[in-house]
Amino acid sequence: MTSHFDPPIVGIGASAGGVKALQSFFEALPDEPNAAFVVVVHLDPEARSQLADILATRTAMPVVQVEDTEKLESNRVYVIAPNSRLVIADHTISAVPFDEPRSNRAPIDLFFRSLAEKRNEGHAYAIILTGAGADGAIGVKSLKESGGIVLVQDPGEAEYPSMPRSAIAAEVADFVLPVGGLAKQLVELLKDGKQESSAIGQDDDEEMLRRILGHLRVRIGHDFSLYKRATILRRIARRIQVTRKESLADYYTFLRENAEEAQALFTDFLISVTTFFRDPHAFDILSKDVIPQLFEGNETARSIRVWVPGCATGEEAYTIGILLLEEAARRDLRPEIQVFGSDLDAGALTIAREGRFPATIEADVSEDRLRRFFQREGDHYRVRRELRDIVLFASHSLLRDPPFSRVDIVSCRNLLIYLDRELQHQVCNTFHYALNPGGFLFLGASESADQPAGLFRSVDRDARIYRSVSAGAEKRPAFPVLLGPRQLPERGPAVPSAPSFSTGAGDSALHRQMLERIAPPSMLVDENLRAIHLSENAGHFLHLSGGPVSVDATEMVRVTL
């Protein structure tokens, strides 16, 4: 929640043509919009900036250039100084030196990332105005993940449309409007933001939340009821503000009456930020202590397989692909390398498959790696074929679909933090099943695989790297329980308990119970591929030839072209 000492923060990013757009924007604002404004533009590090003086003529709010550290106050404008970047801390904004060389600086992205990290409980807004390049496209994703709202200038109006187009291509823009429309929309959002705390917190909220999640499950087919409540409420609160509703009940009515809103809410739930080499220290440990082990004794043609569930737009999958190719080159080996990235978000997977990223990845990827694994295309970098060929992307639900199997590494970073303890345990069981004995699990900085006990042992606790504990000689781990589609009850808990099948039931009874949950025609076979039981419609796919009756499944299946 915001407070007197913690005003809403509006971050504004602009580059070429930005001065004119900023003047128009601040002219269109009221004298007291009740927010703190932070303006980040690309400045010549060697020249004195006149931006604060220029904007001061277009707004009644005080305008200050941030030279050191300033207290954040409402109805005040803070402007970046030359040769520095801006960082948000508790109730303050500070100017700090750049870590990157001048050619790789992305001050807008860096500020939005800082704002996202510090504003998880407050109101934050990102505005992208005219500019060349793609600065801001990555940062706005971070801000939206933390519950912020993203507004972008209409590229058709922008003097230089590259920055707005890059932000829109990231598929996180909530509003795309001319500059005057952005100012008007922001004022309305700021007014609605004051009411957000009262929109959630009423006595009937649990019932409304259950209905919202139930409607989403029916419309989309995915169950978010066991995701962490705080995350779910934050994402719903964001949609309440974007759609300008006053309560969960009002939003539920809007959700039922507007089919496209279910997809919008689903997309918001799936928002996850991924960057190349996120948490560089952890990837250094993975590169030095884990990946070389995959190549030990691998002079044969044995493949190396990696699974990256929740891959979003693919940066993490490509990062691990880079590390594998680098190790293969060092050893002059060419084992078959396969990196599987999976996610539910079709839009994110489209970006991942295209392998085209804003040029601001220069802040996260070294020059050597950019040169070897990427090709510059204007304001973007495209993954080269050597890397692209080893990374495959697929639509996949970690909670409902059968997992990938026999993999050497599962890299699932910053996904478990969104799940409650029960689902975390289920996912860890899934990972244990997917990994080869002794395979590695790579988690995010705030995640752990210590529970359920006995599945993994810690390799490097700081880097969150674990190793699968073998289930025994020649014994594969038990197949994990999956959450299949379910009917929503009229009352009671949002998610029924997982189905339990009687261990004393015969094969036929067990098969019938399973078919209550699984629709396709099926055949139950034993370890020798002998048919034991058929589902009701399986006969359409079978044929019996003349002569002695055989129960060999391979002979019974009808051959089709």
Side-chain angles (χ1 to χ4, degrees), residues 499-530:
S500 60
F501 300 113
S502 171
T503 55
D507 292 329
S508 298
L510 176 60
H511 196 203
R512 284 194 296 273
Q513 290 180 54
M514 292 174 69
L515 288 177
E516 292 176 6
R517 303 284 177 179
I518 304 173
S522 59
M523 174 193 299
L524 184 65
V525 301
D526 63 14
E527 63 271 20
N528 296 316
L529 297 181
R530 292 179 301 191

Side-chain angles (χ1 to χ4, degrees), residues 368-399:
D368 287 343
R369 285 169 171 160
L370 285 171
R371 190 162 44 249
R372 176 176 174 187
F373 297 107
F374 297 86
Q375 180 176 340
R376 186 69 182 254
E377 294 183 352
D379 297 326
H380 290 75
Y381 283 99
R382 187 180 296 276
V383 172
R384 290 188 184 274
R385 183 170 181 176
E386 178 191 18
L387 176 58
R388 182 65 189 85
D389 283 350
I390 68 169
V391 184
L392 304 175
F393 295 99
S395 177
H396 178 274
S397 170
L398 181 59
L399 303 179

Side-chain angles (χ1 to χ4, degrees), residues 294-323:
L294 306 185
F295 289 80
E296 296 292 343
N298 201 9
E299 288 77 10
T300 64
R302 187 184 76 82
S303 65
I304 295 174
R305 292 161 56 89
V306 177
W307 179 25
V308 184
C311 69
T313 46
E315 288 92 331
E316 184 181 323
Y318 286 122
T319 295
I320 294 179
I322 288 171
L323 297 181

Side-chain angles (χ1 to χ4, degrees), residues 506-516 518-526 529-544 549-558:
D507 292 329
S508 298
L510 176 60
H511 196 203
R512 284 194 296 273
Q513 290 180 54
M514 292 174 69
L515 288 177
E516 292 176 6
I518 304 173
S522 59
M523 174 193 299
L524 184 65
V525 301
D526 63 14
L529 297 181
R530 292 179 301 191
I532 296 174
H533 192 264
L534 304 178
S535 66
E536 185 172 335
N537 296 318
H540 297 298
F541 301 90
L542 306 176
H543 77 281
L544 297 176
V549 177
S550 171
V551 292
D552 187 333
T554 61
E555 295 182 7
M556 296 170 63
V557 175
R558 185 186 302 275

Side-chain angles (χ1 to χ4, degrees), residues 108-109 112 128 134-142 163 166-167 170 172 358 360:
I108 301 171
D109 267 330
F112 285 151
I128 297 291
D135 196 5
I138 296 176
V140 291
K141 293 175 64 177
S142 298
M163 270 178 48
S166 295
V172 291
T360 49

Side-chain angles (χ1 to χ4, degrees), residues 261-315:
E261 180 59 23
Q263 184 61 47
L265 180 59
F266 176 64
T267 300
D268 264 29
F269 281 170
L270 293 182
I271 291 173
S272 60
V273 174
T274 177
T275 58
F276 288 96
F277 298 94
R278 188 178 189 181
D279 301 326
H281 174 70
F283 275 100
D284 283 345
I285 298 298
L286 186 76
S287 175
K288 295 174 182 176
D289 297 346
V290 173
I291 287 182
Q293 296 187 50
L294 306 185
F295 289 80
E296 296 292 343
N298 201 9
E299 288 77 10
T300 64
R302 187 184 76 82
S303 65
I304 295 174
R305 292 161 56 89
V306 177
W307 179 25
V308 184
C311 69
T313 46
E315 288 92 331

